[in-house]
Amino acid sequence: AGPPARLVRGRVSAVKTDISPALIVIDVGSDDRVEIGYPLSVYRGNVFVGKVIVERVEATASACRLEFAAEGQSIQPGDEVTTRLP
């Protein structure tokens, strides 16, 4: 369904879990060519943690909605995000 998303790599800066679905803020934005609708995989080291979808983009940060978290995992500040497998 369309061309693949550009390679984007960043980190989770904040997680707001008191709303549903959880809001995840990442440290990459339009300056890094992030676009609304990008799916991003979340990793902690080599462990897959979950998937988020970009919903709002600013110059240096983006807000994402939690698509799903891997069983037994929760997304935390410092986790890595990427459009491609590490």
Side-chain angles (χ1 to χ4, degrees):
R6 299 178 193 273
L7 176 60
V8 172
R9 289 195 175 133
R11 292 200 179 271
V12 174
S13 347
V15 179
K16 187 168 178 65
T17 57
D18 60 341
I19 57 173
S20 183
L23 174 72
I24 292 91
V25 179
I26 60 173
D27 67 355
V28 287
S30 59
D31 288 354
D32 305 289
R33 302 167 106 181
V34 172
E35 296 179 22
I36 291 173
Y38 270 17
L40 297 166
S41 297
V42 183
Y43 289 87
R44 188 172 307 121
N46 291 326
V47 176
F48 175 73
V49 178
K51 189 162 282 276
V52 298
I53 304 293
V54 176
E55 291 204 330
R56 182 170 177 171
V57 179
E58 301 292 333
T60 60
S62 300
C64 305
R65 116 181 106 78
L66 177 64
E67 185 78 359
F68 68 88
E71 188 173 336
Q73 298 290 337
S74 63
I75 295 173
Q76 301 173 7
D79 288 348
E80 299 173 56
V81 295
T82 183
T83 53
R84 308 239 178 100
L85 295 174

